[in-house]
Amino acid sequence: MMTLGYTRLELLRTLRNRRFLILSLAFPLGLYFLSAAPNRHELDLRGTGISAPLYFMVGLAAFGTMAAMLSSGARIAAERTAGWTRQLRLTPLPAGAYLRTKIVTGYAMAMLTLGLLYLGGLVLGVRLAPAQWLAMTGLILLALVPFAAFGVWLGHVITVDAIGPAVGATTAVLSFISGAWYPLGHGTLEDIAQCLPSYWLIQASRVSLAGDVWPAKGWLVVAAWSVAMIALAARAYRRDTQRV
């Protein structure tokens, strides 16, 4: 019951943060309409076989959901600075429940971002079968696992003053390198991007095409980054708690 109560309070606190809601929800949706609306009748964006509204919908979803997941780090850093995490360790709340709550909150915000962008996609003519919507959403949520861990790691190794720029820069750079704004084509940049989970996050848009959405390489990249980031986050958390 204590864990559920703490999770509820965390969700309410996050939803009351207007600046966070604007950056995580309204900003990606606004960018989506600016990018996709002028190209709404483009059914084969740069030879990908994917319509512009669908491609940009998932691209901006990648941008918004990555920001939502990494924002857990900002909350952790702020609470560490204020001494709130130390106070929580003196309560019966399990240590793991604290981290799970941050991850659950990040996923909840990511789902809100997805929901808004899906509605935007429907407005601009995105039409998929129910199974394709579910498959695309499942792939996006899986690709966010390393970012959930990355957010926890950032919160325990970066100060509250630096966490905002770190989250913003990370989201922007990964979105650009991974092709959130336009398809990458073939070349060195695409080769680099394929080694990043953010690239496969965007590739979830390929549910509209026949064949496999993620090849074996995509699953391996996401799994490898997930394992690595979870290990780093756990190590940073243990090191931080041992100081108290």
Side-chain angles (χ1 to χ4, degrees):
M1 292 298 295
M2 178 175 287
T3 300
L4 291 175
Y6 178 64
T7 301
R8 177 177 173 274
L9 290 174
E10 182 71 12
L11 287 170
L12 288 174
R13 188 180 68 161
T14 302
L15 290 172
R16 289 171 180 166
N17 188 332
R18 295 180 180 179
R19 184 172 62 179
F20 171 75
L21 291 178
I22 291 173
L23 291 176
S24 295
L25 303 179
F27 187 57
L29 185 63
L31 285 179
Y32 173 65
F33 280 107
L34 287 174
S35 302
N39 303 289
R40 63 183 303 173
H41 300 298
E42 176 61 63
L43 301 179
D44 184 12
L45 185 66
R46 294 194 176 182
T48 60
I50 303 171
S51 69
L54 173 58
Y55 185 91
F56 288 122
M57 182 185 77
V58 179
L60 270 300
F63 174 82
T65 56
M66 281 192 292
M69 299 307 290
L70 295 180
S71 67
S72 64
R75 291 189 292 274
I76 291 172
E79 290 172 0
R80 287 174 58 239
T81 301
W84 177 239
T85 53
R86 181 176 182 178
Q87 292 299 316
L88 285 176
R89 290 177 198 136
L90 300 177
T91 72
L93 181 72
Y98 173 78
L99 294 178
R100 285 195 298 272
T101 296
K102 299 303 181 188
I103 293 172
V104 167
T105 303
Y107 265 105
M109 296 303 102
M111 289 298 294
L112 283 177
T113 301
L114 279 179
L116 284 176
L117 284 164
Y118 282 0
L119 287 174
L122 290 171
V123 169
L124 294 186
V126 174
R127 297 293 182 268
L128 297 172
Q132 291 176 314
W133 285 107
L134 289 174
M136 182 169 64
T137 303
L139 289 171
I140 290 172
L141 295 180
L142 279 174
L144 288 175
V145 171
F147 295 102
F150 188 33
V152 172
W153 178 77
L154 284 175
H156 286 285
V157 299
I158 295 183
T159 66
V160 67
D161 294 327
I163 192 72
V167 170
T170 300
T171 303
V173 170
L174 288 177
S175 297
F176 175 77
I177 292 176
S178 302
W181 313 115
Y182 273 101
L184 296 175
H186 300 290
T188 303
L189 186 59
E190 185 186 35
D191 293 337
I192 295 173
Q194 287 184 5
C195 297
L196 300 171
S198 49
Y199 174 84
W200 300 105
L201 184 60
I202 296 166
Q203 290 302 302
S205 62
R206 298 183 68 83
V207 297
S208 63
L209 305 177
D212 295 331
V213 178
W214 284 359
K217 182 177 182 179
W219 291 99
L220 287 172
V221 167
V222 172
W225 276 93
S226 297
V227 171
M229 292 314 306
I230 289 171
L232 283 175
R235 180 181 178 185
Y237 176 73
R238 287 194 300 267
R239 183 176 57 194
D240 195 31
T241 56
Q242 287 171 358
R243 294 174 182 172
V244 180

